[in-house]
mmCIF file of all heavy atoms in Angstrom:
data_model
loop_
_atom_site.group_PDB
_atom_site.id
_atom_site.type_symbol
_atom_site.label_atom_id
_atom_site.label_comp_id
_atom_site.label_asym_id
_atom_site.label_seq_id
_atom_site.Cartn_x
_atom_site.Cartn_y
_atom_site.Cartn_z
ATOM 1 N N GLU A 1332 76.329 134.973 106.138
ATOM 2 C CA GLU A 1332 77.505 135.460 105.408
ATOM 3 C C GLU A 1332 77.139 136.334 104.216
ATOM 4 O O GLU A 1332 77.926 137.193 103.800
ATOM 5 C CB GLU A 1332 78.352 134.271 104.929
ATOM 6 C CG GLU A 1332 78.995 133.451 106.029
ATOM 7 C CD GLU A 1332 78.031 132.404 106.609
ATOM 8 O OE1 GLU A 1332 76.851 132.396 106.192
ATOM 9 O OE2 GLU A 1332 78.474 131.617 107.468
ATOM 10 N N ALA A 1333 75.932 136.140 103.667
ATOM 11 C CA ALA A 1333 75.530 136.905 102.491
ATOM 12 C C ALA A 1333 74.909 138.250 102.837
ATOM 13 O O ALA A 1333 74.746 139.101 101.961
ATOM 14 C CB ALA A 1333 74.543 136.087 101.652
ATOM 15 N N PHE A 1334 74.566 138.469 104.099
ATOM 16 C CA PHE A 1334 73.828 139.666 104.500
ATOM 17 C C PHE A 1334 74.611 140.938 104.172
ATOM 18 O O PHE A 1334 75.772 141.101 104.551
ATOM 19 C CB PHE A 1334 73.554 139.616 106.005
ATOM 20 C CG PHE A 1334 72.875 140.860 106.543
ATOM 21 C CD1 PHE A 1334 71.511 141.021 106.421
ATOM 22 C CD2 PHE A 1334 73.613 141.866 107.144
ATOM 23 C CE1 PHE A 1334 70.879 142.155 106.899
ATOM 24 C CE2 PHE A 1334 73.001 143.006 107.628
ATOM 25 C CZ PHE A 1334 71.630 143.149 107.506
ATOM 26 N N GLY A 1335 73.978 141.846 103.423
ATOM 27 C CA GLY A 1335 74.565 143.148 103.127
ATOM 28 C C GLY A 1335 75.632 143.136 102.060
ATOM 29 O O GLY A 1335 76.137 144.194 101.691
ATOM 30 N N SER A 1336 75.994 141.961 101.557
ATOM 31 C CA SER A 1336 77.001 141.900 100.498
ATOM 32 C C SER A 1336 76.357 141.336 99.235
ATOM 33 O O SER A 1336 75.913 142.082 98.366
ATOM 34 C CB SER A 1336 78.207 141.051 100.948
ATOM 35 O OG SER A 1336 77.800 139.766 101.371
ATOM 36 N N VAL A 1337 76.272 140.024 99.136
ATOM 37 C CA VAL A 1337 75.570 139.422 98.007
ATOM 38 C C VAL A 1337 74.073 139.670 98.112
ATOM 39 O O VAL A 1337 73.395 139.892 97.107
ATOM 40 C CB VAL A 1337 75.866 137.911 97.955
ATOM 41 C CG1 VAL A 1337 74.968 137.216 96.938
ATOM 42 C CG2 VAL A 1337 77.331 137.669 97.613
ATOM 43 N N CYS A 1338 73.552 139.663 99.318
ATOM 44 C CA CYS A 1338 72.115 139.805 99.533
ATOM 45 C C CYS A 1338 71.786 141.196 100.063
ATOM 46 O O CYS A 1338 72.163 141.557 101.187
ATOM 47 C CB CYS A 1338 71.630 138.741 100.517
ATOM 48 S SG CYS A 1338 69.840 138.737 100.748
ATOM 49 N N THR A 1339 71.100 141.992 99.251
ATOM 50 C CA THR A 1339 70.652 143.330 99.614
ATOM 51 C C THR A 1339 69.231 143.508 99.088
ATOM 52 O O THR A 1339 68.751 142.682 98.306
ATOM 53 C CB THR A 1339 71.555 144.416 98.995
ATOM 54 O OG1 THR A 1339 71.330 144.447 97.566
ATOM 55 C CG2 THR A 1339 73.031 144.161 99.274
ATOM 56 N N PRO A 1340 68.530 144.581 99.455
ATOM 57 C CA PRO A 1340 67.190 144.781 98.897
ATOM 58 C C PRO A 1340 67.163 144.881 97.376
ATOM 59 O O PRO A 1340 66.151 144.553 96.757
ATOM 60 C CB PRO A 1340 66.746 146.098 99.553
ATOM 61 C CG PRO A 1340 67.465 146.123 100.862
ATOM 62 C CD PRO A 1340 68.810 145.531 100.559
ATOM 63 N N ARG A 1341 68.245 145.311 96.752
ATOM 64 C CA ARG A 1341 68.289 145.400 95.290
ATOM 65 C C ARG A 1341 68.657 144.064 94.654
ATOM 66 O O ARG A 1341 68.314 143.809 93.496
ATOM 67 C CB ARG A 1341 69.280 146.474 94.847
ATOM 68 C CG ARG A 1341 68.827 147.885 95.179
ATOM 69 C CD ARG A 1341 69.801 148.916 94.626
ATOM 70 N NE ARG A 1341 69.839 148.884 93.170
ATOM 71 C CZ ARG A 1341 68.999 149.550 92.379
ATOM 72 N NH1 ARG A 1341 68.029 150.281 92.902
ATOM 73 N NH2 ARG A 1341 69.103 149.476 91.072
ATOM 74 N N THR A 1342 69.373 143.223 95.396
ATOM 75 C CA THR A 1342 69.776 141.905 94.891
ATOM 76 C C THR A 1342 69.465 140.854 95.944
ATOM 77 O O THR A 1342 70.368 140.229 96.503
ATOM 78 C CB THR A 1342 71.271 141.875 94.539
ATOM 79 O OG1 THR A 1342 72.043 142.204 95.720
ATOM 80 C CG2 THR A 1342 71.594 142.852 93.423
ATOM 81 N N PRO A 1343 68.192 140.629 96.244
ATOM 82 C CA PRO A 1343 67.846 139.728 97.345
ATOM 83 C C PRO A 1343 68.015 138.258 96.979
ATOM 84 O O PRO A 1343 67.728 137.845 95.854
ATOM 85 C CB PRO A 1343 66.375 140.053 97.599
ATOM 86 C CG PRO A 1343 65.863 140.473 96.254
ATOM 87 C CD PRO A 1343 67.002 141.218 95.611
ATOM 88 N N LEU A 1344 68.496 137.487 97.938
ATOM 89 C CA LEU A 1344 68.526 136.041 97.758
ATOM 90 C C LEU A 1344 67.221 135.409 98.224
ATOM 91 O O LEU A 1344 66.816 134.362 97.722
ATOM 92 C CB LEU A 1344 69.692 135.427 98.544
ATOM 93 C CG LEU A 1344 71.102 135.826 98.104
ATOM 94 C CD1 LEU A 1344 72.137 135.112 98.949
ATOM 95 C CD2 LEU A 1344 71.326 135.518 96.629
ATOM 96 N N GLY A 1345 66.581 136.035 99.205
ATOM 97 C CA GLY A 1345 65.345 135.503 99.748
ATOM 98 C C GLY A 1345 64.368 136.602 100.082
ATOM 99 O O GLY A 1345 64.703 137.794 100.101
ATOM 100 N N ALA A 1346 63.120 136.193 100.387
ATOM 101 C CA ALA A 1346 62.062 137.166 100.643
ATOM 102 C C ALA A 1346 62.284 137.945 101.931
ATOM 103 O O ALA A 1346 61.776 139.054 102.078
ATOM 104 C CB ALA A 1346 60.716 136.449 100.705
ATOM 105 N N THR A 1347 63.026 137.395 102.882
ATOM 106 C CA THR A 1347 63.237 138.094 104.156
ATOM 107 C C THR A 1347 63.995 139.406 103.970
ATOM 108 O O THR A 1347 63.967 140.264 104.850
ATOM 109 C CB THR A 1347 64.021 137.203 105.145
ATOM 110 O OG1 THR A 1347 65.189 136.702 104.490
ATOM 111 C CG2 THR A 1347 63.167 136.046 105.624
#
Side-chain angles (χ1 to χ4, degrees):
E1332 294 83 356
F1334 176 81
S1336 55
V1337 170
C1338 185
T1339 70
R1341 291 184 64 86
T1342 59
L1344 296 181
T1347 51

